[in-house]
Amino acid sequence: MNPELLLSRIRVVLCRPSHPGNIGAAARAMKTMGLSNLYLVAPKQFPDPEADTRATGAVDVLQAAKITETLSEALVGTVFAVALSARQRDLGPSIGAPRETVARLLQEAGEGDVALVFGNETMGLTNDEIFHCQAAVTIPTNPDFSSLNLGSAVQVLCYECRMSAFAEKPPVVAQGVTPFTSPVATNDEVEGFFGHLESVMITTGFYNPLQPGRLMPKIRRLFGRVRLEKDEVNILRGVLASTQVKTGYGRKE
Ligand code: SAH
């Protein structure tokens, strides 16, 4: 696929950024590498003159930025999301290196929009935000000083995206057989399945939302390891709906 088209399918999502200057720096980092889809989840201060100043010639990226209340909203329509985190989290997707993970991200971008998800300057990403991603990346650093400035972290990943998108790809050899394919499910379709499963588990009594434990993060981790296809989500939801019909349980959604 055309490298520019691939890059246009990558969303850079900044979760709860505190400093408008970092938003501007991220926009500049993106534009230098040919990315333009900026998503801001509940930014503390935006728009702001400091953001424009730090963006310099990338004010157009800021002006086109989409602002959402939650990470889920920023991921609607995406087929793959990568969390950027300096630390491995319990139950989070296992951490990969930027180069390998970006290669996977671009492969997924062949299917639809994908996302790089960055955390807040002080707190990083919350566990819940990480659980919305199917892969995680740590930028290798000095172990005694491992936290990059947000704009710098965006720059490193956007650079890797550009290098990877423009790297020569060997042509795919046709085997004469067309394997079965179904498009991959989007983030919101998978979220719909989680919501459906949760509601069925509540009505059957398997899951008590007042004592959630770590069930839902574990389920997210399980399904985060596979690339659910649209067909598969439909099958799983069909199974859930059939138990609801059979048992007469109500549905939450
Ligand atoms: N103090 C925070 C780090 C905040 S830096 C923490 O300990 O989590 C802001 C964001 O930049 C992080 O949430 C992450 O998305 C990204 N970032 C900074 N350094 C990084 C690194 N070494 N690897 C991956 N992401 C990094």
Side-chain angles (χ1 to χ4, degrees):
M1 188 180 281
N2 169 323
E4 269 102 4
L5 180 60
L6 276 180
L7 294 176
S8 76
R9 291 188 173 183
I10 303 171
R11 300 181 190 178
V12 169
V13 182
L14 306 185
C15 293
R16 299 163 290 102
S18 314
H19 302 296
N22 283 335
I23 301 176
R28 181 175 183 175
M30 290 168 64
K31 189 166 176 179
T32 53
M33 296 297 132
L35 281 76
S36 54
N37 290 325
L38 178 61
Y39 282 69
L40 304 172
V41 179
K44 190 166 176 207
Q45 214 174 311
F46 186 81
D48 189 272
E50 179 65 12
D52 292 355
T53 307
R54 292 284 300 279
T56 56
V59 174
D60 54 327
V61 173
L62 290 181
Q63 281 167 349
K66 299 194 178 58
I67 300 175
T68 66
E69 282 296 314
T70 63
L71 176 58
S72 288
E73 291 168 67
L75 295 181
V76 167
T78 59
V79 296
F80 188 66
V82 176
L84 269 289
S85 172
R87 305 167 272 140
Q88 168 76 63
R89 311 296 177 88
D90 200 18
L91 285 185
S94 56
I95 295 272
R99 200 149 296 166
E100 288 70 40
T101 311
V102 162
R104 165 99 193 270
L105 182 88
L106 288 178
Q107 193 188 332
E108 300 287 350
E111 306 274 351
D113 278 7
V114 295
L116 292 168
V117 180
F118 296 83
N120 164 272
E121 293 90 332
T122 325
M123 310 300 296
L125 288 167
T126 63
N127 283 340
D128 189 56
E129 285 164 343
I130 292 206
F131 294 154
H132 279 75
C133 301
Q134 293 77 44
V137 162
T138 296
I139 301 165
T141 54
N142 172 357
D144 300 327
F145 194 64
S146 62
S147 181
L148 278 79
N149 162 267
L150 176 56
S152 307
V154 172
Q155 185 76 72
V156 170
L157 267 291
C158 291
Y159 170 78
E160 288 293 342
C161 288
R162 187 167 187 86
M163 290 303 104
S164 185
F166 281 88
E168 246 181 280
K169 302 253 170 21
V172 178
V173 182
Q175 301 289 327
V177 182
T178 313
F180 171 80
T181 52
S182 160
V184 294
T186 59
N187 185 277
D188 39 306
E189 287 163 346
V190 178
E191 287 298 322
F193 162 62
F194 288 145
H196 196 166
L197 179 61
E198 189 176 345
S199 115
V200 168
M201 291 192 304
I202 291 170
T203 46
T204 61
F206 184 75
Y207 174 61
N208 178 359
L210 298 176
Q211 290 177 323
R214 306 205 299 169
L215 181 63
M216 285 315 292
K218 284 183 177 173
I219 284 176
R220 282 175 175 278
R221 182 179 158 91
L222 163 65
F223 286 102
R225 283 203 298 273
V226 288
R227 304 295 300 120
L228 279 174
E229 297 174 352
K230 283 185 196 299
D231 259 17
E232 294 162 344
V233 168
N234 287 338
I235 290 168
L236 290 169
R237 294 199 64 164
V239 171
L240 293 173
S242 73
T243 67
Q244 289 174 307
V245 169
K246 201 77 179 166
T247 56
Y249 287 130
R251 284 182 54 173
K252 200 174 76 177
E253 42 155 10

PDB file of all heavy atoms in Angstrom, residues 84-87 89 117-125 137-141 146-150 153, ligand 1:
ATOM      1  N   LEU A  84       1.778   3.473  24.646  1.00  0.00           N
ATOM      2  CA  LEU A  84       3.169   3.857  24.885  1.00  0.00           C
ATOM      3  C   LEU A  84       3.373   3.997  26.374  1.00  0.00           C
ATOM      4  O   LEU A  84       2.739   4.839  27.017  1.00  0.00           O
ATOM      5  CB  LEU A  84       3.457   5.205  24.202  1.00  0.00           C
ATOM      6  CG  LEU A  84       3.974   5.136  22.778  1.00  0.00           C
ATOM      7  CD1 LEU A  84       5.396   4.617  22.742  1.00  0.00           C
ATOM      8  CD2 LEU A  84       3.083   4.302  21.887  1.00  0.00           C
ATOM      9  N   SER A  85       4.224   3.169  26.930  1.00  0.00           N
ATOM     10  CA  SER A  85       4.389   3.191  28.371  1.00  0.00           C
ATOM     11  C   SER A  85       5.824   2.863  28.732  1.00  0.00           C
ATOM     12  O   SER A  85       6.435   1.976  28.128  1.00  0.00           O
ATOM     13  CB  SER A  85       3.441   2.166  28.997  1.00  0.00           C
ATOM     14  OG  SER A  85       3.722   2.050  30.365  1.00  0.00           O
ATOM     15  N   ALA A  86       6.333   3.598  29.712  1.00  0.00           N
ATOM     16  CA  ALA A  86       7.716   3.357  30.135  1.00  0.00           C
ATOM     17  C   ALA A  86       7.793   2.135  31.043  1.00  0.00           C
ATOM     18  O   ALA A  86       8.873   1.659  31.349  1.00  0.00           O
ATOM     19  CB  ALA A  86       8.260   4.597  30.838  1.00  0.00           C
ATOM     20  N   ARG A  87       6.625   1.638  31.496  1.00  0.00           N
ATOM     21  CA  ARG A  87       6.638   0.522  32.463  1.00  0.00           C
ATOM     22  C   ARG A  87       5.701  -0.594  32.022  1.00  0.00           C
ATOM     23  O   ARG A  87       4.623  -0.334  31.498  1.00  0.00           O
ATOM     24  CB  ARG A  87       6.126   0.997  33.832  1.00  0.00           C
ATOM     25  CG  ARG A  87       6.840   2.168  34.392  1.00  0.00           C
ATOM     26  CD  ARG A  87       6.089   2.772  35.560  1.00  0.00           C
ATOM     27  NE  ARG A  87       5.110   3.772  35.155  1.00  0.00           N
ATOM     28  CZ  ARG A  87       3.908   3.906  35.683  1.00  0.00           C
ATOM     29  NH1 ARG A  87       3.494   3.090  36.616  1.00  0.00           N
ATOM     30  NH2 ARG A  87       3.091   4.856  35.278  1.00  0.00           N
ATOM     31  N   ARG A  89       2.856  -3.155  32.733  1.00  0.00           N
ATOM     32  CA  ARG A  89       1.783  -3.177  33.730  1.00  0.00           C
ATOM     33  C   ARG A  89       1.279  -4.588  33.903  1.00  0.00           C
ATOM     34  O   ARG A  89       1.227  -5.363  32.956  1.00  0.00           O
ATOM     35  CB  ARG A  89       0.601  -2.320  33.300  1.00  0.00           C
ATOM     36  CG  ARG A  89       0.919  -0.938  32.833  1.00  0.00           C
ATOM     37  CD  ARG A  89       1.507  -0.068  33.913  1.00  0.00           C
ATOM     38  NE  ARG A  89       1.860   1.233  33.353  1.00  0.00           N
ATOM     39  CZ  ARG A  89       1.031   2.245  33.269  1.00  0.00           C
ATOM     40  NH1 ARG A  89      -0.192   2.143  33.717  1.00  0.00           N
ATOM     41  NH2 ARG A  89       1.423   3.379  32.750  1.00  0.00           N
ATOM     42  N   VAL A 117      -1.110   5.390  21.357  1.00  0.00           N
ATOM     43  CA  VAL A 117      -1.774   6.024  22.511  1.00  0.00           C
ATOM     44  C   VAL A 117      -0.733   6.423  23.559  1.00  0.00           C
ATOM     45  O   VAL A 117      -0.009   5.577  24.086  1.00  0.00           O
ATOM     46  CB  VAL A 117      -2.805   5.039  23.114  1.00  0.00           C
ATOM     47  CG1 VAL A 117      -3.505   5.675  24.301  1.00  0.00           C
ATOM     48  CG2 VAL A 117      -3.817   4.603  22.049  1.00  0.00           C
ATOM     49  N   PHE A 118      -0.682   7.724  23.829  1.00  0.00           N
ATOM     50  CA  PHE A 118       0.310   8.274  24.767  1.00  0.00           C
ATOM     51  C   PHE A 118      -0.376   8.748  26.042  1.00  0.00           C
ATOM     52  O   PHE A 118      -1.535   9.168  26.019  1.00  0.00           O
ATOM     53  CB  PHE A 118       1.043   9.456  24.122  1.00  0.00           C
ATOM     54  CG  PHE A 118       1.858   9.059  22.915  1.00  0.00           C
ATOM     55  CD1 PHE A 118       1.259   8.933  21.661  1.00  0.00           C
ATOM     56  CD2 PHE A 118       3.212   8.780  23.032  1.00  0.00           C
ATOM     57  CE1 PHE A 118       2.010   8.559  20.555  1.00  0.00           C
ATOM     58  CE2 PHE A 118       3.962   8.406  21.928  1.00  0.00           C
ATOM     59  CZ  PHE A 118       3.369   8.289  20.691  1.00  0.00           C
ATOM     60  N   GLY A 119       0.394   8.731  27.157  1.00  0.00           N
ATOM     61  CA  GLY A 119      -0.206   9.075  28.449  1.00  0.00           C
ATOM     62  C   GLY A 119       0.066  10.504  28.888  1.00  0.00           C
ATOM     63  O   GLY A 119       0.777  11.270  28.226  1.00  0.00           O
ATOM     64  N   ASN A 120      -0.507  10.805  30.026  1.00  0.00           N
ATOM     65  CA  ASN A 120      -0.350  12.113  30.646  1.00  0.00           C
ATOM     66  C   ASN A 120       1.103  12.301  31.146  1.00  0.00           C
ATOM     67  O   ASN A 120       1.750  11.335  31.536  1.00  0.00           O
ATOM     68  CB  ASN A 120      -1.350  12.190  31.818  1.00  0.00           C
ATOM     69  CG  ASN A 120      -1.054  13.308  32.778  1.00  0.00           C
ATOM     70  OD1 ASN A 120      -0.298  13.134  33.720  1.00  0.00           O
ATOM     71  ND2 ASN A 120      -1.630  14.445  32.523  1.00  0.00           N
ATOM     72  N   GLU A 121       1.558  13.559  31.147  1.00  0.00           N
ATOM     73  CA  GLU A 121       2.949  13.858  31.478  1.00  0.00           C
ATOM     74  C   GLU A 121       3.355  13.375  32.874  1.00  0.00           C
ATOM     75  O   GLU A 121       4.498  12.965  33.081  1.00  0.00           O
ATOM     76  CB  GLU A 121       3.209  15.372  31.385  1.00  0.00           C
ATOM     77  CG  GLU A 121       3.125  15.937  29.984  1.00  0.00           C
ATOM     78  CD  GLU A 121       1.727  16.405  29.609  1.00  0.00           C
ATOM     79  OE1 GLU A 121       0.738  15.856  30.146  1.00  0.00           O
ATOM     80  OE2 GLU A 121       1.612  17.314  28.771  1.00  0.00           O
ATOM     81  N   THR A 122       2.450  13.461  33.822  1.00  0.00           N
ATOM     82  CA  THR A 122       2.812  13.092  35.196  1.00  0.00           C
ATOM     83  C   THR A 122       2.469  11.649  35.509  1.00  0.00           C
ATOM     84  O   THR A 122       3.267  10.918  36.089  1.00  0.00           O
ATOM     85  CB  THR A 122       2.045  13.986  36.211  1.00  0.00           C
ATOM     86  OG1 THR A 122       1.916  15.280  35.661  1.00  0.00           O
ATOM     87  CG2 THR A 122       2.771  14.042  37.531  1.00  0.00           C
ATOM     88  N   MET A 123       1.277  11.244  35.097  1.00  0.00           N
ATOM     89  CA  MET A 123       0.773   9.933  35.521  1.00  0.00           C
ATOM     90  C   MET A 123       0.985   8.823  34.481  1.00  0.00           C
ATOM     91  O   MET A 123       0.802   7.662  34.788  1.00  0.00           O
ATOM     92  CB  MET A 123      -0.743  10.012  35.776  1.00  0.00           C
ATOM     93  CG  MET A 123      -1.202  11.144  36.656  1.00  0.00           C
ATOM     94  SD  MET A 123      -0.460  11.040  38.266  1.00  0.00           S
ATOM     95  CE  MET A 123      -1.173   9.515  38.835  1.00  0.00           C
ATOM     96  N   GLY A 124       1.315   9.185  33.260  1.00  0.00           N
ATOM     97  CA  GLY A 124       1.368   8.168  32.202  1.00  0.00           C
ATOM     98  C   GLY A 124      -0.044   7.712  31.846  1.00  0.00           C
ATOM     99  O   GLY A 124      -1.017   8.446  32.074  1.00  0.00           O
ATOM    100  N   LEU A 125      -0.163   6.519  31.309  1.00  0.00           N
ATOM    101  CA  LEU A 125      -1.481   5.965  30.963  1.00  0.00           C
ATOM    102  C   LEU A 125      -2.065   5.253  32.180  1.00  0.00           C
ATOM    103  O   LEU A 125      -1.322   4.619  32.943  1.00  0.00           O
ATOM    104  CB  LEU A 125      -1.344   4.954  29.817  1.00  0.00           C
ATOM    105  CG  LEU A 125      -1.044   5.533  28.436  1.00  0.00           C
ATOM    106  CD1 LEU A 125      -0.618   4.427  27.468  1.00  0.00           C
ATOM    107  CD2 LEU A 125      -2.258   6.279  27.887  1.00  0.00           C
ATOM    108  N   VAL A 137       4.379  -0.578  23.908  1.00  0.00           N
ATOM    109  CA  VAL A 137       5.764  -0.303  23.503  1.00  0.00           C
ATOM    110  C   VAL A 137       6.456   0.513  24.580  1.00  0.00           C
ATOM    111  O   VAL A 137       5.870   1.448  25.135  1.00  0.00           O
ATOM    112  CB  VAL A 137       5.774   0.530  22.191  1.00  0.00           C
ATOM    113  CG1 VAL A 137       7.125   1.195  21.986  1.00  0.00           C
ATOM    114  CG2 VAL A 137       5.465  -0.343  21.005  1.00  0.00           C
ATOM    115  N   THR A 138       7.696   0.139  24.863  1.00  0.00           N
ATOM    116  CA  THR A 138       8.565   0.984  25.675  1.00  0.00           C
ATOM    117  C   THR A 138       9.731   1.404  24.793  1.00  0.00           C
ATOM    118  O   THR A 138      10.342   0.566  24.126  1.00  0.00           O
ATOM    119  CB  THR A 138       9.092   0.210  26.900  1.00  0.00           C
ATOM    120  OG1 THR A 138       7.989  -0.137  27.726  1.00  0.00           O
ATOM    121  CG2 THR A 138      10.054   1.049  27.712  1.00  0.00           C
ATOM    122  N   ILE A 139      10.008   2.697  24.788  1.00  0.00           N
ATOM    123  CA  ILE A 139      11.176   3.188  24.044  1.00  0.00           C
ATOM    124  C   ILE A 139      12.398   2.873  24.905  1.00  0.00           C
ATOM    125  O   ILE A 139      12.445   3.276  26.073  1.00  0.00           O
ATOM    126  CB  ILE A 139      11.056   4.713  23.799  1.00  0.00           C
ATOM    127  CG1 ILE A 139       9.783   5.023  22.996  1.00  0.00           C
ATOM    128  CG2 ILE A 139      12.303   5.246  23.101  1.00  0.00           C
ATOM    129  CD1 ILE A 139       9.378   6.487  23.003  1.00  0.00           C
ATOM    130  N   PRO A 140      13.369   2.145  24.354  1.00  0.00           N
ATOM    131  CA  PRO A 140      14.540   1.815  25.167  1.00  0.00           C
ATOM    132  C   PRO A 140      15.276   3.088  25.607  1.00  0.00           C
ATOM    133  O   PRO A 140      15.443   4.012  24.807  1.00  0.00           O
ATOM    134  CB  PRO A 140      15.421   0.989  24.223  1.00  0.00           C
ATOM    135  CG  PRO A 140      14.564   0.622  23.069  1.00  0.00           C
ATOM    136  CD  PRO A 140      13.476   1.629  22.980  1.00  0.00           C
ATOM    137  N   THR A 141      15.646   3.127  26.872  1.00  0.00           N
ATOM    138  CA  THR A 141      16.272   4.340  27.430  1.00  0.00           C
ATOM    139  C   THR A 141      17.342   3.952  28.446  1.00  0.00           C
ATOM    140  O   THR A 141      17.496   2.777  28.780  1.00  0.00           O
ATOM    141  CB  THR A 141      15.233   5.170  28.211  1.00  0.00           C
ATOM    142  OG1 THR A 141      14.637   4.304  29.173  1.00  0.00           O
ATOM    143  CG2 THR A 141      14.174   5.770  27.331  1.00  0.00           C
ATOM    144  N   SER A 146      14.208   7.094  32.464  1.00  0.00           N
ATOM    145  CA  SER A 146      13.543   6.412  31.355  1.00  0.00           C
ATOM    146  C   SER A 146      12.344   7.159  30.777  1.00  0.00           C
ATOM    147  O   SER A 146      11.737   6.696  29.830  1.00  0.00           O
ATOM    148  CB  SER A 146      13.086   5.023  31.821  1.00  0.00           C
ATOM    149  OG  SER A 146      12.154   5.177  32.859  1.00  0.00           O
ATOM    150  N   SER A 147      12.013   8.314  31.367  1.00  0.00           N
ATOM    151  CA  SER A 147      10.802   8.988  30.916  1.00  0.00           C
ATOM    152  C   SER A 147      11.121  10.108  29.934  1.00  0.00           C
ATOM    153  O   SER A 147      11.744  11.101  30.289  1.00  0.00           O
ATOM    154  CB  SER A 147      10.057   9.533  32.139  1.00  0.00           C
ATOM    155  OG  SER A 147       8.886  10.165  31.731  1.00  0.00           O
ATOM    156  N   LEU A 148      10.670   9.939  28.687  1.00  0.00           N
ATOM    157  CA  LEU A 148      10.879  10.983  27.680  1.00  0.00           C
ATOM    158  C   LEU A 148       9.804  12.046  27.823  1.00  0.00           C
ATOM    159  O   LEU A 148       8.694  11.765  28.308  1.00  0.00           O
ATOM    160  CB  LEU A 148      10.763  10.401  26.270  1.00  0.00           C
ATOM    161  CG  LEU A 148      11.972   9.691  25.675  1.00  0.00           C
ATOM    162  CD1 LEU A 148      12.084   8.285  26.242  1.00  0.00           C
ATOM    163  CD2 LEU A 148      11.832   9.620  24.154  1.00  0.00           C
ATOM    164  N   ASN A 149      10.118  13.243  27.353  1.00  0.00           N
ATOM    165  CA  ASN A 149       9.086  14.274  27.215  1.00  0.00           C
ATOM    166  C   ASN A 149       8.035  13.737  26.230  1.00  0.00           C
ATOM    167  O   ASN A 149       8.368  13.019  25.283  1.00  0.00           O
ATOM    168  CB  ASN A 149       9.742  15.552  26.684  1.00  0.00           C
ATOM    169  CG  ASN A 149       8.728  16.511  26.117  1.00  0.00           C
ATOM    170  OD1 ASN A 149       8.456  16.485  24.915  1.00  0.00           O
ATOM    171  ND2 ASN A 149       8.147  17.320  26.957  1.00  0.00           N
ATOM    172  N   LEU A 150       6.768  14.084  26.473  1.00  0.00           N
ATOM    173  CA  LEU A 150       5.672  13.566  25.645  1.00  0.00           C
ATOM    174  C   LEU A 150       5.917  13.822  24.151  1.00  0.00           C
ATOM    175  O   LEU A 150       5.787  12.918  23.316  1.00  0.00           O
ATOM    176  CB  LEU A 150       4.351  14.198  26.115  1.00  0.00           C
ATOM    177  CG  LEU A 150       3.095  13.870  25.339  1.00  0.00           C
ATOM    178  CD1 LEU A 150       2.850  12.376  25.260  1.00  0.00           C
ATOM    179  CD2 LEU A 150       1.891  14.572  25.977  1.00  0.00           C
ATOM    180  N   ALA A 153       8.561  11.528  22.806  1.00  0.00           N
ATOM    181  CA  ALA A 153       8.084  10.148  22.629  1.00  0.00           C
ATOM    182  C   ALA A 153       7.273  10.052  21.333  1.00  0.00           C
ATOM    183  O   ALA A 153       7.413   9.096  20.558  1.00  0.00           O
ATOM    184  CB  ALA A 153       7.250   9.719  23.835  1.00  0.00           C
TER     185      ALA A 153
HETATM  186  N1  SAH B   1       5.746   9.751  34.522  1.00  0.00           N
HETATM  187  C1  SAH B   1       5.060   9.008  33.528  1.00  0.00           C
HETATM  188  C2  SAH B   1       5.646   9.236  32.167  1.00  0.00           C
HETATM  189  C3  SAH B   1       5.022  10.362  31.492  1.00  0.00           C
HETATM  190  S1  SAH B   1       5.793  10.808  30.001  1.00  0.00           S
HETATM  191  C4  SAH B   1       5.134   7.529  33.838  1.00  0.00           C
HETATM  192  O1  SAH B   1       5.930   7.132  34.650  1.00  0.00           O
HETATM  193  O2  SAH B   1       4.379   6.756  33.240  1.00  0.00           O
HETATM  194  C5  SAH B   1       4.357  11.006  28.960  1.00  0.00           C
HETATM  195  C6  SAH B   1       4.100   9.879  28.006  1.00  0.00           C
HETATM  196  O3  SAH B   1       5.164   9.754  27.059  1.00  0.00           O
HETATM  197  C7  SAH B   1       3.977   8.502  28.638  1.00  0.00           C
HETATM  198  O4  SAH B   1       2.714   8.246  29.184  1.00  0.00           O
HETATM  199  C8  SAH B   1       4.242   7.608  27.433  1.00  0.00           C
HETATM  200  O5  SAH B   1       3.077   7.511  26.629  1.00  0.00           O
HETATM  201  C9  SAH B   1       5.316   8.398  26.691  1.00  0.00           C
HETATM  202  N2  SAH B   1       6.671   7.963  27.101  1.00  0.00           N
HETATM  203  C10 SAH B   1       7.612   8.653  27.773  1.00  0.00           C
HETATM  204  N3  SAH B   1       8.733   7.920  27.922  1.00  0.00           N
HETATM  205  C11 SAH B   1       8.501   6.730  27.330  1.00  0.00           C
HETATM  206  C12 SAH B   1       9.272   5.540  27.136  1.00  0.00           C
HETATM  207  N4  SAH B   1      10.517   5.403  27.575  1.00  0.00           N
HETATM  208  N5  SAH B   1       8.678   4.527  26.458  1.00  0.00           N
HETATM  209  C13 SAH B   1       7.413   4.628  25.990  1.00  0.00           C
HETATM  210  N6  SAH B   1       6.655   5.709  26.156  1.00  0.00           N
HETATM  211  C14 SAH B   1       7.183   6.761  26.802  1.00  0.00           C
END
